[in-house]
Amino acid sequence: MASQEEKQAQPFADIFDEDETEKSFLLSKPTCLIILGKPGSGKKTLARKLAQIWKCIFIEALEVIQTNIHEETEYGLKCQELLFKGQSISEELVTEMILKKIESPEVAHFGYVLSGFPSLSEEYMTISQQIEKIKNLKLKPDFLINIKCSDYDLCQRISGQRQHPDSGQIYQRNQWDPNVIEKHKKEKDQHEEENEEDDEEQEEEETAEDPLMLPEFLHQLVQRPEDILENAEERVRTYKDIMLHPLEDLMAEQDCQYLIELDGNQQPDDLFVVNKNYICCYCCFNKQDELFRVLSSYKLIAHRYRWRRSRWGQACPVALKEGDIVMGNPDLAVSFLGKMYMLSSPEALKTFMLNPRPYLLPPMPLPPCKVVVFGPPFSGRTTISNLIAHKYKGKV
C-alpha cells in the first residue's frame, strides 16, 4: 500500500529536473592535476598556464609561501620571522602549507594544479612518504602529466638560462645570446626572402622596442647558481637516483587514459596547447559527434528524450572484455538503460543481448595493455615477461 501511495504522489519523473542537475554538479569532484618531471623541465610554467585556463588553484612551494606571507596567516608570520632572522623556511613548514592549501575551501570548489610536490628534498619526508600523501589526499589527482626530456637537452637548456636581477625574469639562450639571435635571424631571412622589405622594417621596430637587444641590458643578466651546468647535472642525477622509480610506480598505478606524457623539448606555449587539447578530449567528448547525432535521434523513447553516450564510445564492450579494442559497427548498435553500445559482430551482439552485465560492471571499460618482449636467445625474455605479468597482473 505504501508503495502505491508513493507512486500516486509522484506519478511522473522529470529527467530534466534542474534541481537534480544542480545537486549533481555540487556533489561532483573538481578536476585536479599534478605536473611531474625532471628539475627544470618546465613544470611550473605549464602548471601556471593550465591553472589560468582551467580556473584551478595553482599550488607550488614558492607560490604558497608568498600567498601566506601576503595574507599574513599563521604560516605566513612564521615564514616572515624565519626570513627576518636570515634563516631558511623548513621543509616541514612548506609541506604543511601545501597540504593545507589542498584542503582549502577554494580548492574544494575549483580544483588544483600541483607542481613541485613530491620534492627532491627528503629533509622532512622521504619520497615514498610524499607519494603516499598524494595517494591519500581527499581530492586525489585526476590527471598525472609527466614532462619527458633527455638529460643532455635539459642540462643544456638550464645552463643557458639567465636572470635579470631587478625584475627576476628568466631568459633563455635564444633570447639573450647575440650569436644565437643572429643565427635565428639569418634562418628567418632565408625563409622569407619574398618579404625582405617588410621583415627589415619589423626587425628595426623590434630592435628599438626590445630591451634584450640593448648591450647594456645584456650585461645586467646573471646566471643563477642552480643554472650552472655542473649543478644542473647533479640535480638531474639526484632526481634519477631517488625519485624516478617511485614516480614510475605511481604512474604505473594510474589509469593510462589519465596519464599524459609530453615532450619537454617543445616550446612552453606548444606544450601547453598540446596538453590543454589532450585534457579537453577527456573532460568533454571526443569528436565522434556526427555518428552519435544520427543514432541519438533514432527511435526516441519519449518526446524530448535522447539516447546518451556510454563510456565505451565506439568500442565494442564484448571485445573489450576479451582484451581487444575493436570499434563497433553503427548497424549493430543497441540500447541499454538509456545508453548506446555498438557491437563489432553479430555474435558479439547476440552475446551482449543475452546478458550485458558482465561487460558493463566495473572495472570495465578497462583498456587492455599488451606488451611484447623480444631479444636474442638466452637474454632473459621469459624471466622479464613473468616479472611484468606478476607486477601488473597480466598473462604471459
Side-chain angles (χ1 to χ4, degrees), residues 33-36 46 50 143-147 260 262 275 279:
L33 308 95
I34 290 187
I35 315 295
L36 307 172
L46 178 61
L50 283 174
F143 290 89
L144 297 184
I145 302 171
N146 183 33
I147 303 176
I260 305 171
L262 302 174
N275 191 46
I279 296 176

Side-chain angles (χ1 to χ4, degrees), residues 5 65-66 92 133 148 193 216 232 269 273 307 321 337 339 379 385:
E5 291 176 359
I65 292 171
Q66 291 175 342
E92 179 179 0
K133 277 285 184 185
K148 303 180 73 174
E193 291 179 353
E216 57 270 22
D269 289 338
V273 169
W307 296 108
K321 179 74 172 178
L337 297 180
K339 295 182 180 178
S379 61
S385 297

Side-chain angles (χ1 to χ4, degrees), residues 343 345-355:
L343 288 305
S345 66
E347 293 77 19
L349 175 63
K350 182 179 180 181
T351 305
F352 185 82
M353 293 184 68
L354 288 174
N355 184 10

Side-chain angles (χ1 to χ4, degrees), residues 281-341:
C281 292
Y282 287 98
C283 290
C284 305
F285 292 117
N286 262 334
K287 298 246 178 185
Q288 302 165 346
D289 292 336
E290 190 59 36
L291 172 66
F292 283 95
R293 195 178 295 115
V294 173
L295 290 175
S296 65
S297 60
Y298 181 68
K299 291 183 180 179
L300 300 181
I301 295 177
H303 181 61
R304 293 200 308 166
Y305 186 93
R306 293 181 74 84
W307 296 108
R308 290 179 293 159
R309 184 194 311 263
S310 72
R311 290 183 294 151
W312 281 251
Q314 285 185 276
C316 173
V318 176
L320 203 59
K321 179 74 172 178
E322 296 171 354
D324 293 316
I325 299 179
V326 181
M327 293 298 104
N329 187 343
D331 295 331
L332 301 176
V334 297
S335 67
F336 181 68
L337 297 180
K339 295 182 180 178
M340 296 181 294
Y341 301 91

